[in-house]
Amino acid sequence: MPYGDRMSSTRAVRTARSHERRAEILRAALEVIAERGYRGASLAAVAERVGLTQQGLLHHFPTKEALLVAVLEERDQWDAVPSSQWRLDLLGSLVEYNAMRPGIVQTFSALLGESVTEGHPAREFFTQRYVGVRESMAEVLRAEYGERLPGGLTPERAAPLLVAVLDGLQYQWLLDPEAVDMPGAVRDFLELLGGEG
């Protein structure tokens, strides 16, 4: 094998290992944040969980804030559906999927709650995320109902309500999963929006 090809192959292996290690770190960070919250989670605890020194962790994520943003972006990628494929009837499936991964829902909810405080490193992420989520939900509602829902609301007026129901149900479910049927409650709310029942 020519020298240049060997170098390219070695570089590709290193890159693959680096991506695997980053993914491992992100999973560990999710676990630690779910257990302790962002403020209680330390880089040392995440590093220990993946068998790295704190310095080794900093090679991949130079600050705790960089790690947090990467965790949030990774979590959003797991749920990513191209906006052109979103439909109202898929929301129930998304809620059922979330119910199968309580640790991720708990981490997201804990970070969301913490992010409302001034200076929190996730505040800008969640602020921008909700701008996009509201816009997406308005488009989903528009595709289903047109410019007015049966109750008279515009999609833009109904979208924040839909998002509030989805996130609020997650908090209730995390606190009492036996008493709160998230998928059922979402279906009930969609019926109310549609004027059915």
Side-chain angles (χ1 to χ4, degrees), residues 75 98 105 108-109 166-174 182:
R75 184 254 176 220
N98 281 339
V105 172
F108 175 84
S109 298
L166 293 170
D167 285 353
L169 281 170
Q170 284 187 156
Y171 279 107
Q172 293 179 59
W173 174 76
L174 286 168
M182 275 199 305

Side-chain angles (χ1 to χ4, degrees), residues 65-80:
E65 291 77 15
L67 178 59
L68 172 64
V69 171
V71 164
L72 291 168
E73 289 171 346
E74 182 76 8
R75 184 254 176 220
D76 270 4
Q77 286 303 309
W78 296 335
D79 291 346

Side-chain angles (χ1 to χ4, degrees), residues 47-63:
E48 181 181 328
R49 196 157 295 195
V50 294
L52 286 173
T53 64
Q54 189 168 333
Q55 200 59 32
L57 177 72
L58 291 171
H59 170 74
H60 295 279
F61 298 97
T63 64

Side-chain angles (χ1 to χ4, degrees), residues 11 22 27 39 58 62 67 73 83 88 93 103 111-112 114 118 127 158-159 168 170 172:
R11 207 172 301 123
R22 281 178 61 88
R27 282 191 299 274
R39 300 217 190 268
L58 291 171
L67 178 59
E73 289 171 346
S83 56
L88 204 53
S93 298
L111 288 170
L112 174 58
E114 289 180 6
E118 280 301 318
T127 300
Q170 284 187 156
Q172 293 179 59

Side-chain angles (χ1 to χ4, degrees), residues 68-142:
L68 172 64
V69 171
V71 164
L72 291 168
E73 289 171 346
E74 182 76 8
R75 184 254 176 220
D76 270 4
Q77 286 303 309
W78 296 335
D79 291 346
V81 175
S83 56
S84 62
Q85 295 177 13
W86 260 115
R87 297 187 323 258
L88 204 53
D89 62 323
L90 292 178
L91 287 179
S93 298
L94 175 62
V95 171
E96 287 172 2
Y97 174 62
N98 281 339
M100 295 186 299
R101 25 183 229 151
I104 291 170
V105 172
Q106 182 182 22
T107 302
F108 175 84
S109 298
L111 288 170
L112 174 58
E114 289 180 6
S115 74
V116 302
T117 59
E118 280 301 318
H120 192 281
R123 186 178 180 111
E124 181 64 19
F125 173 87
F126 280 111
T127 300
Q128 293 307 311
R129 182 183 186 278
Y130 276 108
V131 169
V133 169
R134 286 189 303 270
E135 289 172 357
S136 293
M137 289 300 111
E139 288 306 312
V140 167
L141 292 166
R142 182 172 284 104

